[in-house]
Amino acid sequence: MTDAPPPAATPEAYVLGVDSGGSGLRVALGRVDTEGPLFTAVCAEPVRTGAGGIDAAHLLEQLLPAVAELLERAARSDGGRTGDGPATVAAAAVGAAGMATLGGRLRAELPGALAEALGVRRMALAADAVTAYAGAVGQRPGAVVAGGTGMIALGTDLTSWHRADGWGHLLGDSGGGAWIGRAGLDAAMRAHDGRRGGSPALLARLHAVFGAAEGLPGLLYPRSDRPAVLASFAPEVAACAGADEVAAGILREAGIHIAEAAAAVCPTAGPQDGDACEVALTGGLFRMGEPLLGPVREELARLVPQARVTTGTGDPLTGALRIARALALDDLRLPHHPTMLFVPTGDGPSGREGAEVGNGEPEPGGVPAKGPAKGPTKGLTKGPGNPAADRPTDGDTSPVGHSSDISG
């Protein structure tokens, strides 16, 4: 028998948001009646992933002490009480890179463990593309494009999820940081060879960042983190775009690819639909500015005249906290899904178990498996071309960022 859901939380109750990515684990404690976090904690060690998927025990090993610290800080700030009773965590939402295809152990083990340790009976486990959506758009219909080392577009009409791209640097991620960096390096190598389409400006940047052009294949091909190495050159393309037509053309083409992915997932993509479709752009990729944003807006206006392009102000941690708050209030309107937005009950996922991801994949579909580890490119860079950070966050100053679900 399915357990009866607990009553909706009181406004003073706490909610917990968790964001697990390649750069570590971030945790936010908030209140049901307050937007944003009260306190946050960061665990710098990434949660391990092995043959069995994301390691639930390793996540808990880091998460539970962090939550205990946050609750202690909350206790010192308000006496440790909510209303007339002790402090409680009414709901939690955990977003994780790789959740859709590597989160089986988390879905099996985390709900019971958190219920036992914290008394949490309302919980959601989400792919980080979903928490990115919740952070950027909230619970409205719309679309989000998360751009970093890779690129994925995710949209919903609040009935089902629709995704485009995010297939990794070999099969897609068109317009993302690795795509831009690879195109820039191709233009540099063309200039080195004397072939048509080359850019002497980008060749000069290749020399500054990587050294001799002839040595680049030996530096790049053995690496398991090739997407991050390629993406480390994307800022060089952006820096050259103002004076170099080849670099500017690469960013124009990237913008077109991004707009096409966004158009594919807009819930009101038909010209007969009058309602505006909000398209939120989030992630470090879009810090490249107008040379990239201009083509995105121009192509979107052609493909989806009713599109309204915005800049996402909330990151995946913000999205996780918003999902937890909605759970606590019985107000989660984002579509449930067995792997992308899993909301457990006593005997399985609740809500619309048949919700689909509109990308042609059979259930339990969702976001592709995590690719090779994106480690630092130490020893490769010789100039200002910094390697891509593992996740675009509010504090990330890198022009590109990455998380495996978001960018493949």
Side-chain angles (χ1 to χ4, degrees), residues 4 12 81 96 156-157 173 205 220 222 236 315 363 382 404:
E12 299 84 5
R81 303 181 69 83
T156 182
D157 56 4
D173 281 359
R205 296 314 307 154
L220 179 64
E236 306 299 334
D315 66 359
E363 295 236 11
K382 297 185 179 181
S404 62

Side-chain angles (χ1 to χ4, degrees), residues 103 147 151 162 176 181 201 230 285 291 313 319 322-323 329 333 356 365:
M151 193 281 300
H162 303 273
L230 292 170
L285 183 71
T313 57
R322 285 178 174 173
I323 290 172
L329 295 173
R333 300 188 297 276
E356 298 177 352

Side-chain angles (χ1 to χ4, degrees), residues 87-339:
T88 59
V89 177
V94 178
M99 178 73 80
T101 51
L102 299 172
R105 288 178 63 182
L106 294 187
R107 290 186 289 272
E109 300 175 24
L110 219 56
L114 291 182
E116 180 177 353
L118 303 174
V120 181
R121 294 185 59 201
R122 293 176 181 266
M123 191 177 309
L125 305 179
D128 62 348
V130 172
T131 52
Y133 183 98
V137 181
Q139 295 204 87
R140 304 184 303 274
V144 65
V145 179
T149 295
M151 193 281 300
I152 186 171
L154 190 69
T156 182
D157 56 4
L158 302 187
T159 300
S160 60
W161 292 104
H162 303 273
R163 78 62 85 71
D165 213 335
W167 303 122
H169 75 293
L170 293 179
L171 298 176
D173 281 359
S174 300
W179 186 96
I180 291 171
R182 196 212 66 82
L185 290 170
D186 175 80
M189 297 305 289
R190 287 175 176 274
H192 173 268
D193 295 345
R195 289 180 287 149
R196 185 175 61 181
S199 166
L202 290 173
L203 178 60
R205 296 314 307 154
L206 185 158
H207 289 157
V209 174
F210 295 111
E214 296 90 341
L216 182 60
L219 291 173
L220 179 64
Y221 292 140
R223 302 283 298 209
S224 63
D225 57 350
R226 284 187 299 274
V229 179
L230 292 170
S232 74
F233 198 69
E236 306 299 334
V237 179
C240 291
D244 182 71
E245 181 55 34
V246 173
I250 290 171
L251 294 189
R252 282 197 299 271
E253 188 175 355
I256 290 171
H257 284 307
I258 291 167
E260 289 173 343
V265 302
C266 275
T268 56
Q272 72 279 4
D273 296 314
D275 294 337
C277 172
E278 179 180 359
V279 178
L281 307 179
T282 184
L285 183 71
F286 298 108
R287 296 194 185 102
M288 291 185 179
E290 196 59 26
L292 178 64
L293 294 174
V296 172
R297 288 193 293 261
E298 182 179 342
E299 185 68 8
L300 259 178
R302 187 182 72 82
L303 296 174
V304 189
Q306 71 274 23
R308 178 170 58 87
V309 180
T310 64
T311 301
T313 57
D315 66 359
L317 183 61
T318 300
L321 202 57
R322 285 178 174 173
I323 290 172
R325 186 173 289 113
L327 277 174
L329 295 173
D330 273 337
D331 189 38
L332 183 59
R333 300 188 297 276
L334 295 175
H336 297 193
H337 184 270
T339 59

Side-chain angles (χ1 to χ4, degrees), residues 10-58:
T10 61
E12 299 84 5
Y14 293 119
V15 291
L16 189 68
V18 181
D19 176 44
S20 174
S23 58
L25 191 74
R26 299 187 301 153
V27 188
L29 186 71
R31 285 197 188 277
V32 170
D33 61 350
T34 305
E35 181 72 18
L38 297 172
F39 303 102
T40 60
V42 177
C43 307
E45 183 182 0
V47 175
R48 289 191 294 264
T49 300
I54 301 170
D55 189 332
H58 190 224

